[in-house]
């Protein structure tokens, strides 16, 4: 294992002055590839066609390239941080085994992700990549090395900004993503993963595969189904704030208590919206903190993914989001909510009179 | 006919014991020699004896009821003399025994001193009824507002209580997003296996931090 110090040796081109000089110097001293500034960086707003091709190649790479190695994953937010080291064993056509040791925050777990996973039911895989190119400015930002392998750095930048929303370090030889980082709109990293050791071209031998991750719900919900469900009080938005487009719609649970699952993505962030009929039994919701913001009462579990639960109008909403906290807040705010107790007295009185009046309304 | 030299009206005084000692002796000396005055004296004594022996007439039932009513608890104490929003609508009556000055009715009485006739009692009763009606209306309004405030408090949500299976939903999220291009298998696996990278609950913030 080469250690964390050897991860992501890079000379990005977006830096200026002494910092850029220091980074270039360090990259040169450590044997990294020379800095390469693509022409698209001149104005910083034009999508780089070569960058998009690199990302498309990276998306296809796991279907043909075997690898195994050690990877760390980390997540940060205003509420805390968490990190984990995992062993990854990928076999093309079969899937990816991920093994993690136990930590103080989580037990040891081995999981096998079947190859391909669930194909998006609303948008295809290539369309999801197109969402990334539509919502972000994708550029090649330089070269470097990760775990001793040469990489190309591709950045997805916030529209009209030089600020990165995500960085991908792509193996120059195979196209595999060897390191990635995601940032909030303030430039702070929210999650990161990187190989600290990787062997490309073969899977780990003589190791049995761990239990597979459960399949996604099989019952897809198409356009006509969603239209009919809207008429019965289900929220089925085609898009959510933060340029999140609907990419997948499924149905779980049983006939008596169905659960609607809508998946949204902007090409980078992913948000799942689950809906169930009823009202939230908050008293038995363990591990969630109560939060009141702008008159909305929700229950939050911090981490990656972030989970937010509440109910309104006879529907229980559960948002599971792998997205910047500000985006999650926008999504939650865009959905229905009940007023929080402690509101204005006149509102409460008005609702009380309305409710008392309904008792005497023979047609109510 | 009684002659002037007879005792006359002094006979009644003698019977009632109201004569002085000397006058009583003179009267008794005269009666001893005057048959007329003696007869009048006897008549006076008989009449007085009958009156004293007569039983007291029974009181009527109506009078008894009215007298008993006087002993029952009266009206509550009047409110303190302070400005109230409804004060112009609710005339204030002074408590029994107090001077009727200062209030609207007091001013009426002061314009008509000594008028305690039926009309005055009628106006007082009417004012009392008005006061009771206003108090009842205010109480009912307060009760309605309190009821509306209580009922309007907790937003009533329809449906049965639901505890979402958040662990299953988190796995479902990972299962659908793992198929997206450029998704991170490590994050997907961690999410599917134990619910992602959860942040431990924060300890209480230390003072000064």
């Amino acid at each position: 294992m080469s250690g964390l110090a050897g991860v992501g040796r890079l000379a990005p081109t977006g830096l200026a002055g002494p910092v850029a000089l220091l980074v270039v110097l360090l990259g040169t001293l450590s044997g990294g590839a020379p800095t390469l500034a693509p022409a698209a960086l001149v104005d910083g707003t034009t999508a780089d066609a070569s960058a998009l091709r690199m990302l498309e190649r990276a998306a296809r790479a796991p279907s043909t390239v075997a690898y195994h190695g050690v990877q760390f994953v980390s997540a940060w937010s205003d509420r805390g941080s968490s990190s984990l080291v995992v062993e990854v064993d990928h076999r093309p056509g079969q899937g990816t085994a991920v093994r993690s040791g136990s930590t103080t925050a989580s037990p040891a777990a081995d999981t096998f992700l079947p190859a391909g996973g669930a194909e998006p039911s609303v948008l295809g895989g290539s369309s999801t990549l197109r969402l990334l190119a539509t919502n972000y400015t994708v550029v090649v930002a330089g070269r470097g090395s990760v775990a001793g392998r040469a990489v190309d750095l591709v950045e997805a930048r916030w529209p009209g900004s030089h600020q990165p929303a995500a960085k991908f370090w792509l193996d120059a030889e195979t196209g595999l993503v060897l390191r990635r980082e995601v940032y909030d709109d303030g430039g702070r990293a929210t999650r990161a993963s990187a190989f600290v050791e990787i062997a490309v071209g073969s899977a780990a031998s003589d190791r049995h595969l761990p239990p597979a991750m459960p399949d996604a719900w099989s019952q897809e919900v198409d356009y006509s189904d969603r239209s009919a469900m809207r008429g019965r009080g289900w929220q089925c938005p085609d898009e959510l704030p933060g340029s999140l487009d609907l990419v997948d719609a499924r149905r779980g649970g049983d006939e008596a208590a169905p659960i609607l699952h809508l998946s949204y993505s902007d090409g980078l962030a992913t948000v799942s919206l689950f809906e169930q009929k009823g009202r939230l039994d908050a008293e038995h919701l363990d591990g969630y903190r109560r939060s009141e913001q702008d008159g909305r009462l929700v229950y939050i579990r911090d981490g990656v993914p972030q989970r937010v639960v509440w109910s309104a109008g006879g529907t229980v909403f559960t948002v599971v989001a792998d997205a910047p906290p500000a985006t999650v807040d926008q999504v939650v705010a865009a959905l229905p909510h009940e007023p929080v107790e402690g509101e204005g007295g006149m509102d409460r009185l008005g609702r009380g009179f309305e409710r008392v009046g309904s008792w005497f309304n023979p047609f109510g | 006919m009684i002659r002037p030299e007879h005792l006359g009206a002094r006979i009644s005084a003698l019977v009632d014991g109201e004569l002085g000692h000397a006058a009583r002796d003179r009267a008794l000396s005269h009666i001893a020699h005057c048959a007329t005055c003696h007869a009048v004296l006897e008549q006076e004594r008989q009449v007085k004896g009958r009156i004293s022996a007569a039983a007291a007439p029974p009181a009527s039932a109506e009078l008894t009821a009215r007298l008993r009513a006087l002993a029952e608890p009266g009206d509550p104490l009047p409110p303190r003399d302070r400005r109230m929003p409804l004060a112009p609508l609710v005339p204030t009556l002074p408590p029994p025994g107090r001077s009727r000055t200062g209030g609207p009715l007091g001013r009426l009485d002061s314009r008509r001193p000594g008028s305690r006739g039926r009309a005055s009692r009628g106006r007082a009763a009417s004012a009392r009824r008005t006061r009771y009606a206003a108090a009842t209306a205010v109480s009912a309004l307060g009760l309605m507002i309190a009821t509306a405030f209580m009922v309007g408090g907790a937003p009533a949500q329809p449906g049965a209580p639901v505890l979402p299976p958040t662990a299953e939903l988190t796995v479902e999220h990972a299962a659908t997003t793992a198929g997206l291009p450029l998704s991170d298998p490590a994050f997907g696996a961690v999410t599917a296996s134990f619910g992602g990278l959860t942040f431990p609950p924060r300890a209480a913030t230390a003072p000064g931090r």
Side-chain angles (χ1 to χ4, degrees), chain A residues 158-221:
Chain A
W158 298 103
S161 168
H162 288 269
Q163 195 114 303
K167 292 181 180 179
F168 299 94
W169 286 261
L170 308 179
D171 186 49
E173 178 186 347
T174 63
L176 290 172
V177 181
L178 300 185
R179 177 182 174 183
R180 80 192 74 203
E181 291 181 359
V182 180
Y183 306 87
D184 64 12
D185 55 4
R188 300 175 302 177
T190 58
R191 55 193 168 94
S193 62
F195 279 98
V196 294
E197 185 179 273
I198 186 169
V200 175
S202 65
S205 59
D206 62 16
R207 296 195 70 174
H208 67 277
L209 297 177
M213 178 175 65
D215 291 335
W217 295 339
S218 59
Q219 189 175 353
E220 298 182 355
V221 179

Side-chain angles (χ1 to χ4, degrees), chain A residues 68-284:
Chain A
H68 68 276
V70 177
Q71 189 179 17
F72 77 86
V73 292
S74 295
W76 301 270
S77 85
D78 293 334
R79 307 292 301 187
S81 64
S82 185
S83 296
L84 198 64
V85 177
V86 296
E87 287 184 57
V88 181
D89 181 6
H90 177 73
R91 305 178 185 193
Q94 297 182 43
T96 308
V98 180
R99 299 177 174 87
S100 65
S102 62
T103 69
T104 55
S106 60
D110 294 350
T111 306
F112 181 72
L113 283 69
E119 289 292 332
S121 62
V122 179
L123 290 173
S126 60
S127 297
T128 313
L129 258 186
R130 205 158 288 136
L131 279 178
L132 179 66
T134 301
N135 294 312
Y136 299 92
T137 304
V138 182
V139 296
V140 176
R143 288 180 179 172
S145 68
V146 173
R149 297 182 65 87
V151 294
D152 295 305
L153 172 61
V154 175
E155 289 186 2
R157 296 177 175 173
W158 298 103
S161 168
H162 288 269
Q163 195 114 303
K167 292 181 180 179
F168 299 94
W169 286 261
L170 308 179
D171 186 49
E173 178 186 347
T174 63
L176 290 172
V177 181
L178 300 185
R179 177 182 174 183
R180 80 192 74 203
E181 291 181 359
V182 180
Y183 306 87
D184 64 12
D185 55 4
R188 300 175 302 177
T190 58
R191 55 193 168 94
S193 62
F195 279 98
V196 294
E197 185 179 273
I198 186 169
V200 175
S202 65
S205 59
D206 62 16
R207 296 195 70 174
H208 67 277
L209 297 177
M213 178 175 65
D215 291 335
W217 295 339
S218 59
Q219 189 175 353
E220 298 182 355
V221 179
D222 60 19
Y223 179 82
S224 60
D225 292 336
R226 295 197 299 278
S227 297
M229 293 182 78
R230 284 192 189 97
R232 297 196 297 270
W234 298 82
Q235 301 287 324
C236 304
D238 289 331
E239 57 186 18
L240 288 174
S243 302
L244 292 166
D245 285 359
L246 182 66
V247 297
D248 191 275
R250 296 172 188 273
R251 179 174 167 160
D254 51 37
E255 288 299 322
I259 305 175
L260 176 64
H261 177 199
L262 305 169
S263 297
Y264 298 85
S265 178
D266 64 349
L268 192 60
T270 55
V271 173
S272 286
L273 171 62
F274 297 92
E275 298 179 31
Q276 297 170 263
K277 288 302 177 187
R279 57 184 168 83
L280 179 62
D281 181 12
E283 291 182 3
H284 298 95

Side-chain angles (χ1 to χ4, degrees), chain B residues 18-165:
Chain B
E18 294 176 351
L19 294 178
H21 183 73
R24 177 173 173 271
D25 286 345
R26 285 194 300 272
L28 290 176
S29 298
H30 175 80
I31 288 172
H33 303 284
C34 179
T36 303
C37 288
H38 185 266
V40 173
L41 175 66
E42 288 301 318
Q43 287 179 352
E44 287 275 344
R45 283 177 172 168
Q46 287 177 7
V47 170
K48 185 174 181 181
R50 286 175 186 160
I51 292 173
S52 301
S60 69
E62 180 184 1
L63 177 61
T64 304
R66 288 169 63 185
L67 290 174
R68 282 180 178 170
L70 288 176
E72 290 179 350
D75 294 337
L77 288 175
R80 291 179 180 175
D81 186 14
R82 58 185 178 187
R83 288 187 174 275
M84 297 290 287
L86 295 175
L89 301 177
V90 185
T92 303
L93 292 178
R98 285 183 58 180
S99 170
R100 294 182 178 231
T101 56
L105 295 179
R107 285 194 297 272
L108 282 176
D109 284 349
S110 66
R111 287 194 298 269
R112 301 179 59 190
S115 61
R116 292 176 178 268
R118 181 173 296 176
S120 176
R121 288 195 298 271
R123 279 193 297 274
S126 175
R128 192 179 298 114
R129 283 195 296 271
T130 303
R131 185 183 62 174
Y132 289 155
T136 303
V138 170
S139 300
L141 182 63
L143 186 63
M144 287 174 62
I145 291 176
T147 303
F149 195 79
M150 283 193 304
V151 171
Q157 291 193 24
V162 169
L163 186 63

